[in-house]
Amino acid sequence: MTDFTQQLNAIVGESYVLTSKEDLDTYGQDWSRLYSPNPLIVVKPGNTEEVSEIVKLCLQHQVAIVPSGGRTGLSGGAVATNQELVLSLDRLNQITDFNPVDRTVRCGAGVITEQLQNFAEEQGLYYPVDFASAGSSQIGGNIATNAGGIKVLKYGLTRDWVAGLTLVTPSGEVVSMNNGLVKNATGYDLRHLMIGSEGTLGIITEAEMRLTTPPKEPTVMLLAVESLTDISNLLNHFQAQIDLMAFEFFSHAALEKVLAHRELKAPFGDPANYYVLIEFECGDESAMDGAFAAFESAAENGWLVDGVVSQSNQQAEELWQYREGISESISHYPPYKNDIAVKPSQVGEFLEAVDQFVSANYPDFENIWFGHIGDGNLHLNILKPADLPLEDFKAQCAKANPEIFKILQSFNGSISAEHGVGLLKRDYLSFSRSPAEIEMMRAIKNVVDPNNLMNPGKLFQ
Amino acid sequence: MTDFTQQLNAIVGESYVLTSKEDLDTYGQDWSRLYSPNPLIVVKPGNTEEVSEIVKLCLQHQVAIVPSGGRTGLSGGAVATNQELVLSLDRLNQITDFNPVDRTVRCGAGVITEQLQNFAEEQGLYYPVDFASAGSSQIGGNIATNAGGIKVLKYGLTRDWVAGLTLVTPSGEVVSMNNGLVKNATGYDLRHLMIGSEGTLGIITEAEMRLTTPPKEPTVMLLAVESLTDISNLLNHFQAQIDLMAFEFFSHAALEKVLAHRELKAPFGDPANYYVLIEFECGDESAMDGAFAAFESAAENGWLVDGVVSQSNQQAEELWQYREGISESISHYPPYKNDIAVKPSQVGEFLEAVDQFVSANYPDFENIWFGHIGDGNLHLNILKPADLPLEDFKAQCAKANPEIFKILQSFNGSISAEHGVGLLKRDYLSFSRSPAEIEMMRAIKNVVDPNNLMNPGKLFQ
């Protein structure tokens, strides 16, 4: 046993230092499944002080650290490919404090998203950040990637719910940022610098998260739409008249995959090119009347060809299935996935431009489009044709990437809407951020983490 | 005329380079009125490119720059006391773009807050950040200080409404940050680093601001309360039952000043120790019933001794007068002002601790307390006794400062809730931020502005 391992044992206890091949493989990668895990060792500290000691030890031995949460990331932000120490926050999974007046909860970084959602519900409150991996993803990871999801339109991103956080800096100091205050105009808000920094500036070990009043019963409308322009019209139209919680979109190709995979009945007699799913709170009759009036006038304007409205919670959930089942229905394909964003007003125009590019250059590829387009976020999935060898498919996708990002750049869009940069998008950062911005980011990284031991190689080389 | 002045003339035109004593005095200070203005020169560029050229020229001549907006700050963040160039954003006062789908407005940094509020209203939308100086303060300054105000409880701070910003960096480069996107997970969110940085990292010249749906008719309740503990109880109670827009507080001493100054009738027959003003949206009868029920049960619990509810917009405005008139009613005193914050749940306990300290040590001083305590923000005003010479009063206040900040520190509170640090609070920063945090802030400042030409001496020495 090396001196380094012995010192780790002394900090966390032998049973929390993992070295088996299986553990290294498990903790060395995330859901992106694109990189071969190759960590040095896995350590599972039990509290912030132990994290601090591990960081100091790594600094002394110049060992790089990959902070590890639920490892549900899709951009390779939490993979260890280069003999790093994987610092798992799994054991910091306690909710240690709750204040009903402040409506804040103190969570260890390892608290599962769903655990926080359930805790909030028990208090008669609501934690509104929600997404497919809520059952596995951890609060620390959510903050490090500024996780978004399906309710951003009304509730914003993880960033908007962080009242304070505890960071172990690259030198091992424990820093409490913002202390749960609502108002605090005392210089640079380092908390916001850390949110979305993907573990490259230090390790988040604790956070004070805000809760809010639960929404009223949700109502869901599913609309059948013929053109991309109509989708923009519908967003504008409904947004002006209803307080939207979600405005989701998917193509007919996406619907077909879900229908086949879940053995569901089609929502409409006739297929349409696109579908829009709208969710809103319906507290009383007048709200419902307003929603119906908005639906009627949209139909009169010819922006939709058919529609259905949920009459119960169960129906609302059934309608959501068409949207929520997409990812799962294509998970057995090796898809080329891209999580990108433009301004909501530009979604239609952008979709057309990419569609045109893909049909012209890759006519054999099947595009599955869906996304949270109320906030401009699109998930582009290109499925591997059955007869194309995987390596060839990967090579073609790699060629398509910069072309699609060039289109995105012409729209001032984002190459990563909500999944983060990680290893996957690192080399494309310049399509979304200017040289001056990247230079400023690098300068900050260098000055905060001069030894480059915090998740090196992620975000930038 | 110096070479430097000639070059400035060439950039902006002679009429926008100001050198008269009057102009230097006007543009060299903010509303804090505590520092003697002593700028080198005042320049009023007409667009971002001119700002960039000025910054490059200043870099070449090593002239420090004080960015200048509406100069309504109260912490000396926009004063030029040391031969700096004052760069006024007054002329960047155009709203140049509006997108109804994105609900974003592109504003020059010099757009007045009220101008943006009015523009939003014309579009059937709402810009919710509002405060007493909305008629003079500018968007750029609001962003640089992360301005708060009276509706933070429901709508958050300026930070929450910035979809993108254009910054002229200390080297004169023009950088567009975030481009109005809702979702953008591409590394450090430099936009958030700039918000609240008080002009020390560059000059904000443009911003894309978000708008929202206007609130329904507001209803106002004014409550008479006997104890500080009851105020916390009321906050918890009402927050759980109504979607609050404002939860304001003032002491009886504050009310007396307003009554005298505005010649108003007292709101209640019997005076109480404290008053709470609650504002909420009242869309329909059931909301009003809910509010009344909350009021009834609060009275039954003994948390309030009297109350009045507005029955019209006019009455709502009349009730707001008791709160809004406070600052003005004490403006002719030379008060010792402090803008501080703790967690909302700790307001009562903190108030008691400070009250005890002031009565014990400064029994002749009159305390005027008020604040946005729904978000933990308190304004402490100590009035100069008529017979105490001003210099003695100032000296005593200077002695009181660290004592009050020590109490604040024990609550993990903020020495500046919403006014910023500037020159006024600079030497007290360590009461709210840890050495590690201050070190990280300084490191970032040094690496972004290595020549220390951007508003030097503000935030830290």
Side-chain angles (χ1 to χ4, degrees):
Chain A
M1 194 188 296
T2 66
D3 186 40
F4 181 64
T5 313
Q6 268 175 346
Q7 285 170 298
L8 287 173
N9 286 346
I11 295 170
V12 297
E14 213 168 311
S15 53
Y16 296 117
V17 178
L18 313 180
T19 52
S20 76
K21 170 87 172 72
E22 197 192 332
D23 284 329
L24 295 180
D25 281 355
T26 304
Y27 283 91
Q29 65 180 319
D30 63 12
W31 281 7
S32 59
R33 299 276 181 264
L34 288 165
Y35 307 97
S36 303
N38 177 31
L40 173 69
I41 201 162
V42 178
V43 188
K44 302 180 87 169
N47 54 48
T48 296
E49 291 62 42
E50 289 181 8
V51 174
S52 162
E53 285 184 61
I54 295 167
V55 169
K56 285 178 185 164
L57 185 67
C58 285
L59 182 60
Q60 195 186 320
H61 290 261
Q62 291 288 300
V63 173
I65 298 175
V66 175
S68 175
R71 299 185 309 285
T72 58
L74 294 165
S75 295
V79 298
T81 59
N82 200 19
Q83 287 289 296
E84 300 96 334
L85 176 144
V86 174
L87 194 153
S88 161
L89 281 311
D90 280 3
R91 291 174 63 217
L92 278 71
N93 60 353
Q94 275 107 42
I95 290 177
T96 54
D97 198 14
F98 165 67
N99 188 302
V101 178
D102 300 325
R103 296 180 154 195
T104 51
V105 191
R106 181 175 285 276
C107 303
V111 164
I112 306 289
T113 312
E114 205 172 72
Q115 183 186 348
L116 175 57
Q117 290 168 341
N118 293 340
F119 179 86
E121 202 179 322
E122 285 161 23
Q123 313 303 322
L125 291 169
Y126 187 61
Y127 181 67
V129 181
D130 195 19
F131 37 79
S133 60
S136 315
S137 74
Q138 297 177 2
I139 294 304
N142 293 356
I143 296 173
T145 55
N146 188 23
I150 54 174
K151 281 168 182 163
V152 170
L153 196 55
K154 184 171 167 74
Y155 294 105
L157 296 118
T158 300
R159 179 182 301 285
D160 301 297
W161 301 91
V162 180
L165 55 83
T166 303
L167 184 91
V168 174
T169 70
S171 62
E173 281 191 84
V174 178
V175 182
S176 168
M177 294 176 173
N178 202 55
N179 296 316
L181 298 168
V182 181
K183 285 184 173 175
N184 184 14
T186 55
Y188 312 151
D189 197 327
L190 299 174
R191 163 188 53 153
H192 280 291
L193 182 63
M194 298 306 151
I195 297 169
S197 65
E198 303 189 25
T200 62
L201 299 176
I203 298 164
I204 296 162
T205 59
E206 262 197 315
E208 272 186 87
M209 305 302 293
R210 289 194 194 292
L211 305 179
T212 187
T213 308
K216 294 172 192 132
E217 258 337 44
T219 298
V220 171
M221 270 190 197
L222 186 67
L223 312 175
V225 185
E226 283 307 337
S227 85
L228 294 168
T229 319
D230 289 342
I231 293 176
S232 279
N233 289 334
L234 288 170
L235 175 60
N236 193 9
H237 177 74
F238 277 100
Q239 200 169 240
Q241 303 186 47
I242 316 180
D243 192 12
L244 296 175
M245 294 215 290
F247 189 98
E248 299 282 316
F249 143 93
F250 47 96
S251 63
H252 188 65
L255 177 67
E256 280 186 320
K257 298 289 171 200
V258 178
L259 296 182
H261 184 252
R262 295 209 174 174
E263 301 179 2
L264 296 176
K265 222 176 126 265
F268 303 110
D270 294 319
N273 289 328
Y274 306 104
Y275 304 91
V276 163
L277 184 148
I278 294 173
E279 187 179 51
F280 53 97
E281 283 181 84
C282 221
D284 50 35
E285 256 181 58
S286 79
M288 201 48 146
D289 290 349
F292 273 114
F295 175 86
E296 293 287 338
S297 55
E300 276 163 27
N301 284 315
W303 297 331
L304 54 88
V305 291
D306 207 343
V308 54
V309 183
S310 70
Q311 302 297 328
S312 67
N313 257 354
Q314 199 198 323
Q315 273 184 21
E317 278 169 29
E318 281 166 16
L319 291 175
W320 262 113
Q321 280 199 70
Y322 297 119
R323 165 65 187 84
E324 282 182 334
I326 300 172
S327 274
E328 199 188 321
S329 74
I330 55 173
S331 65
H332 56 288
Y333 288 81
Y336 162 89
K337 276 170 187 285
N338 240 321
D339 161 53
I340 50 192
V342 293
K343 288 186 186 184
S345 61
Q346 298 193 301
V347 163
E349 214 183 316
F350 173 72
L351 273 170
E352 269 178 26
V354 176
D355 224 36
Q356 231 165 55
F357 165 79
V358 178
S359 343
N361 294 278
Y362 305 89
D364 300 341
F365 284 10
E366 188 179 12
N367 298 338
I368 304 289
W369 278 109
F370 61 98
H372 321 293
I373 64 169
D375 51 44
N377 183 186
L378 290 158
H379 295 291
L380 165 61
N381 289 260
I382 300 177
L383 305 188
K384 187 184 86 59
D387 53 356
L388 189 70
L390 180 62
E391 287 311 311
D392 292 4
F393 177 68
K394 276 189 178 174
Q396 290 198 37
C397 289
K399 264 177 63 188
N401 251 342
E403 298 304 322
I404 289 170
F405 291 156
K406 258 183 224 163
I407 302 174
L408 197 58
Q409 189 172 28
S410 73
F411 283 83
N412 286 322
S414 174
I415 58 154
S416 178
E418 58 177 6
H419 294 172
V421 176
L423 290 177
L424 184 69
K425 300 276 177 92
R426 183 185 72 184
D427 297 337
Y428 304 108
L429 196 56
S430 62
F431 287 97
S432 282
R433 306 289 293 262
S434 66
E437 274 188 295
I438 294 174
E439 193 192 322
M440 203 182 280
M441 284 200 268
R442 272 186 194 283
I444 291 170
K445 165 72 174 171
N446 289 342
V447 82
V448 174
D449 178 26
N451 294 282
N452 194 25
L453 295 179
M454 292 289 131
N455 216 5
K458 315 297 161 52
L459 270 190
F460 19 65
Q461 201 111 34
Chain B
M1 194 187 296
T2 66
D3 186 40
F4 180 65
T5 313
Q6 265 174 346
Q7 286 170 296
L8 287 173
N9 286 346
I11 295 170
V12 297
E14 213 167 311
S15 53
Y16 296 118
V17 178
L18 313 180
T19 52
S20 76
K21 171 86 172 73
E22 198 192 332
D23 284 329
L24 295 180
D25 281 355
T26 304
Y27 284 90
Q29 67 180 317
D30 64 11
W31 281 8
S32 59
R33 300 273 180 266
L34 288 165
Y35 308 96
S36 303
N38 178 30
L40 174 69
I41 202 161
V42 179
V43 189
K44 303 180 86 168
N47 55 49
T48 297
E49 290 63 41
E50 289 181 8
V51 174
S52 162
E53 286 184 58
I54 295 166
V55 170
K56 285 177 185 165
L57 184 68
C58 285
L59 183 59
Q60 195 186 320
H61 290 262
Q62 291 288 301
V63 173
I65 298 174
V66 175
S68 173
R71 301 185 306 287
T72 57
L74 294 165
S75 295
V79 299
T81 58
N82 201 20
Q83 288 288 296
E84 300 95 335
L85 176 144
V86 174
L87 194 153
S88 162
L89 282 310
D90 280 2
R91 290 174 64 216
L92 278 70
N93 60 354
Q94 274 107 40
I95 290 178
T96 54
D97 197 14
F98 166 65
N99 188 301
V101 179
D102 299 325
R103 297 182 154 193
T104 51
V105 190
R106 180 175 286 277
C107 304
V111 164
I112 306 289
T113 312
E114 206 171 72
Q115 182 187 349
L116 175 57
Q117 291 168 340
N118 293 340
F119 178 86
E121 201 178 324
E122 285 160 23
Q123 313 304 320
L125 291 169
Y126 186 61
Y127 181 68
V129 181
D130 196 20
F131 36 79
S133 61
S136 316
S137 74
Q138 297 177 3
I139 295 303
N142 293 356
I143 296 173
T145 56
N146 189 22
I150 54 174
K151 282 170 182 163
V152 169
L153 197 53
K154 183 171 168 74
Y155 294 105
L157 295 119
T158 300
R159 180 183 299 285
D160 300 297
W161 301 91
V162 181
L165 55 83
T166 303
L167 183 92
V168 175
T169 70
S171 61
E173 282 191 84
V174 178
V175 182
S176 169
M177 293 175 173
N178 201 55
N179 297 314
L181 297 168
V182 181
K183 285 184 174 175
N184 183 16
T186 54
Y188 311 151
D189 198 327
L190 299 174
R191 163 188 55 153
H192 280 291
L193 182 62
M194 298 307 150
I195 298 169
S197 64
E198 302 189 26
T200 62
L201 298 176
I203 298 164
I204 295 161
T205 59
E206 262 196 314
E208 272 185 87
M209 304 302 292
R210 289 194 194 292
L211 304 179
T212 189
T213 307
K216 295 172 191 130
E217 231 32 357
T219 297
V220 172
M221 269 189 196
L222 186 68
L223 312 174
V225 185
E226 282 307 337
S227 85
L228 293 168
T229 318
D230 288 341
I231 293 176
S232 280
N233 290 333
L234 288 170
L235 175 60
N236 194 9
H237 178 74
F238 277 100
Q239 200 168 240
Q241 304 186 47
I242 317 180
D243 192 14
L244 295 175
M245 296 216 287
F247 190 98
E248 300 282 316
F249 141 94
F250 47 96
S251 63
H252 188 66
L255 178 67
E256 280 186 319
K257 298 289 171 200
V258 178
L259 296 181
H261 185 252
R262 294 209 173 173
E263 299 180 3
L264 296 175
K265 221 175 127 268
F268 303 109
D270 295 319
N273 289 329
Y274 307 102
Y275 303 91
V276 163
L277 184 147
I278 294 174
E279 187 179 51
F280 53 96
E281 283 182 86
C282 221
D284 50 35
E285 256 181 58
S286 80
M288 200 50 146
D289 289 349
F292 272 115
F295 175 86
E296 292 288 339
S297 55
E300 277 163 26
N301 283 316
W303 297 330
L304 53 87
V305 291
D306 208 343
V308 54
V309 183
S310 69
Q311 302 296 329
S312 67
N313 256 354
Q314 199 198 324
Q315 273 184 22
E317 278 168 30
E318 281 168 16
L319 291 175
W320 262 112
Q321 281 198 69
Y322 297 120
R323 165 64 186 86
E324 281 182 334
I326 300 171
S327 275
E328 198 188 321
S329 74
I330 55 173
S331 65
H332 57 285
Y333 289 80
Y336 161 88
K337 275 170 185 286
N338 241 322
D339 161 52
I340 50 191
V342 292
K343 288 186 187 185
S345 62
Q346 297 193 301
V347 162
E349 213 183 317
F350 173 72
L351 272 169
E352 269 177 27
V354 176
D355 223 37
Q356 229 164 58
F357 165 78
V358 178
S359 346
N361 294 279
Y362 304 90
D364 301 341
F365 285 10
E366 187 179 11
N367 297 338
I368 305 288
W369 278 110
F370 61 99
H372 321 293
I373 65 167
D375 51 44
N377 183 186
L378 291 158
H379 295 292
L380 164 62
N381 290 260
I382 300 177
L383 306 187
K384 187 184 84 64
D387 54 355
L388 189 69
L390 181 61
E391 287 311 310
D392 293 3
F393 177 67
K394 277 190 177 174
Q396 290 198 37
C397 289
K399 264 178 63 190
N401 251 341
E403 298 304 322
I404 290 172
F405 292 156
K406 258 183 226 165
I407 301 173
L408 197 57
Q409 189 172 28
S410 73
F411 283 83
N412 285 322
S414 174
I415 58 154
S416 177
E418 57 177 7
H419 293 171
V421 176
L423 290 177
L424 185 69
K425 299 275 177 91
R426 182 184 72 183
D427 297 337
Y428 304 108
L429 196 55
S430 62
F431 286 97
S432 281
R433 306 291 292 263
S434 65
E437 275 188 294
I438 294 174
E439 192 191 322
M440 202 182 282
M441 285 200 268
R442 273 186 193 281
I444 291 170
K445 165 74 173 171
N446 289 341
V447 82
V448 175
D449 179 26
N451 293 282
N452 194 25
L453 295 179
M454 293 289 131
N455 216 5
K458 316 296 161 51
L459 269 190
F460 18 64
Q461 202 112 34

